[in-house]
């Protein structure tokens, strides 16, 4: 397996002509898998705050996965500039050994302003990687903390990576990432931080014990590991593999829910793009321009009212 696939930029493209071609490609690939029982690959989301060591951990875990004879895809999401839309795409350079491995494919992707730690087409790129034969797809989020819960709309299994000394952000009862985590990896379990990591594990185990289980019989394990020293990387893989083998009905059910969520996400994006196009031939262009001018000139005309006026123009009734 090479470190690049010619069709991945097509699947990621936002151009309408590319989107149409990408849909045909995905339909063709998925049709060849329709006779299979259950998912052919497991999609693993890795999230956590900057400095948790996600990229280093992915490289060690990825190399271990490849050593088992499995084919691995890594989708590393990088933040984009709000002004230019550009992205550094530096995660691939932080996984140099894994990027060169013949059984691995590492693909950095810009968010292009999409919130939640993911790029808009991450879901389709994940499906593409599974359809062409990868056994495991790792998705690394941007790394913005508790707002990364969108990873749950893409991944079958969510690994939350935390460093020692993370403090109040790791309360098991806190809304956000901890509620969608299927495993917590306490990274940097090195000689300098050994005691701090052990204490954090005790606190997390206690919190997760009282958290409502997402899947009957599955309490998210907390695993001490070290990317720099390679400690317990095998345990991370074994936990992921165990989940894939034992929770097939849960994965299938979750993917059905994800399809609906992603349908609405694409609907929202398509509508927004269509309405924001500066195209005078657009049937609602003139009315939208009037609403925009009114919003900027009137103090008592509020954004929500402007939004409902646009929707009423489209759907023919007041929202």
């Amino acid at each position: 397996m090479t470190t690049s696939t010619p069709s991945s930029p097509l699947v990621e493209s936002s151009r309408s002509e590319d989107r149409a071609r990408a849909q045909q490609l995905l339909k063709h690939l998925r049709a060849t898998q329709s006779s299979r029982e259950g998912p052919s690959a497991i999609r693993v989301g890795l999230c956590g705050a900057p400095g948790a060591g996600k990229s280093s951990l992915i490289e060690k875990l990825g190399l271990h996965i490849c050593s088992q004879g499995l084919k691995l895809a890594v989708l590393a999401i990088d933040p984009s500039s709000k002004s230019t839309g550009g992205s550094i795409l530096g995660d691939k350079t932080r996984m140099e050994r894994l990027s060169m491995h013949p059984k691995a494919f590492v693909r950095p992707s810009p968010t292009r302003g999409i919130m939640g730690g993911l790029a808009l087409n991450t879901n389709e790129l994940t499906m593409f990687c599974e359809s062409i034969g990868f056994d495991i797809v790792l998705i690394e989020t941007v790394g913005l903390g508790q707002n990364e819960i969108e990873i749950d709309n893409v991944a079958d299994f969510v690994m939350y990576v935390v460093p020692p000394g993370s403090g109040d952000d790791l309360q098991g009862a806190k809304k956000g990432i901890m509620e969608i985590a299927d495993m917590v990896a306490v990274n940097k379990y090195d000689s300098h931080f050994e005691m701090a990591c052990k204490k954090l594990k005790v606190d997390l185990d206690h919190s997760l014990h009282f958290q409502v289980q997402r899947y009957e019989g599955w309490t998210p394990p907390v695993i001490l590991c070290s990317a720099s020293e390679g400690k317990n990387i095998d345990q991370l893989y074994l936990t992921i593999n165990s989940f894939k083998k034992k929770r097939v009905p849960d994965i299938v059910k979750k993917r059905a829910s994800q399809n609906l969520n992603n349908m609405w996400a694409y609907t929202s994006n398509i509508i927004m793009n269509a309405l924001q196009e500066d195209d005078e031939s657009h049937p609602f262009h003139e009315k939208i321009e009037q609403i925009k001018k009114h919003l900027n000139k009137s103090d008592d005309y509020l954004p929500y009212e402007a939004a409902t006026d646009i929707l009423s123009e489209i759907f023919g009734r007041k929202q």
Side-chain angles (χ1 to χ4, degrees):
M1 186 66 62
T2 60
T3 54
S4 63
T5 58
S7 298
S8 55
L10 177 68
V11 177
E12 290 177 302
S13 176
S14 59
R15 296 172 59 190
S16 57
E17 58 268 32
D18 289 342
R19 300 299 305 136
R21 292 172 59 203
Q23 292 302 302
Q24 291 300 315
L25 174 63
L26 284 169
K27 285 182 179 181
H28 172 74
L29 291 172
R30 287 169 66 80
T32 63
Q33 293 187 311
S34 59
S35 60
R36 296 184 181 180
E37 293 185 5
S40 58
I42 184 164
R43 308 166 184 176
V44 181
L46 287 94
C47 53
K54 296 191 299 296
S55 296
S56 299
L57 193 61
I58 287 174
E59 177 157 63
K60 282 291 173 64
L61 176 59
L63 290 170
H64 179 79
I65 289 170
C66 292
S67 74
Q68 307 301 303
L70 301 173
K71 290 176 286 187
L72 171 72
V74 177
L75 309 180
I77 314 301
D78 278 332
S80 301
S81 166
K82 289 185 178 181
S83 58
T84 66
S87 181
I88 297 174
L89 303 179
D91 277 316
K92 190 168 183 177
T93 63
R94 293 192 289 272
M95 306 176 198
E96 189 172 354
R97 289 179 60 201
L98 185 60
S99 297
M100 298 301 294
H101 199 287
K103 288 187 175 294
F105 163 61
V106 179
R107 177 71 181 177
S109 298
T111 61
R112 295 190 178 96
I114 302 298
M115 299 301 292
L118 297 177
L120 178 64
N121 297 332
T122 300
N123 180 60
E124 290 187 343
L125 188 54
T126 303
M127 288 193 293
F128 169 71
C129 289
E130 180 173 353
S131 298
I132 62 174
F134 287 101
D135 300 297
I136 297 179
V137 183
L138 299 181
I139 308 118
E140 180 191 8
T141 62
V142 167
L144 299 177
Q146 288 283 341
N147 72 341
E148 291 185 279
I149 59 174
E150 284 301 314
I151 187 64
D152 204 38
N153 277 329
V154 175
D156 304 318
F157 183 92
V158 177
M159 182 197 306
Y160 187 20
V161 182
V162 299
S166 298
D168 294 338
D169 288 339
L170 300 176
Q171 295 175 19
K174 189 169 186 176
K175 303 290 183 183
I177 295 178
M178 287 298 292
E179 290 188 337
I180 66 167
D182 299 303
M183 172 171 66
V184 180
V186 180
N187 194 18
K188 305 185 181 181
Y189 181 51
D190 312 321
S191 56
H192 297 297
F193 302 108
E194 191 170 307
M195 291 305 296
C197 287
K198 287 181 177 179
K199 181 181 183 305
L200 181 57
K201 173 176 165 54
V202 171
D203 293 341
L204 287 168
D205 279 329
H206 179 77
S207 296
L208 289 166
H209 178 74
F210 293 102
Q211 186 167 293
V212 177
Q213 291 184 342
R214 294 217 295 169
Y215 309 111
E216 184 179 353
W218 183 272
T219 299
V222 180
I223 298 177
L224 300 172
C225 61
S226 170
S228 61
E229 296 183 4
K231 287 182 181 177
N232 295 335
I233 301 299
D234 58 332
Q235 293 301 311
L236 301 178
Y237 166 69
L238 289 172
T239 303
I240 294 168
N241 198 42
S242 174
F243 187 91
K244 180 189 177 185
K245 289 181 177 179
K246 297 178 180 179
R247 317 300 303 198
V248 171
D250 292 322
I251 293 174
V252 171
K253 183 178 179 181
K254 185 177 183 182
R255 288 192 180 186
S257 176
Q258 288 172 340
N259 283 338
L260 291 177
N261 292 335
N262 285 305
M263 177 192 73
W264 289 119
Y266 282 120
T267 301
S268 175
N269 182 261
I270 291 168
I271 291 174
M272 284 292 294
N273 287 340
L275 293 178
Q276 291 178 338
E277 283 182 355
D278 190 16
D279 183 358
E280 294 185 2
S281 64
H282 194 287
F284 305 111
H285 176 78
E286 184 176 348
K287 183 62 177 179
I288 290 174
E289 288 302 308
Q290 291 174 2
I291 292 172
K292 286 161 62 177
K293 290 177 181 178
H294 187 193
L295 179 64
N296 288 329
K297 290 181 178 180
S298 177
D299 291 336
D300 60 355
Y301 187 57
L302 302 178
Y304 179 80
E305 185 180 1
T308 58
D309 284 345
I310 289 175
L311 292 177
S312 66
E313 187 72 20
I314 296 171
F315 296 109
R317 58 184 174 85
K318 193 72 175 176
Q319 302 298 306

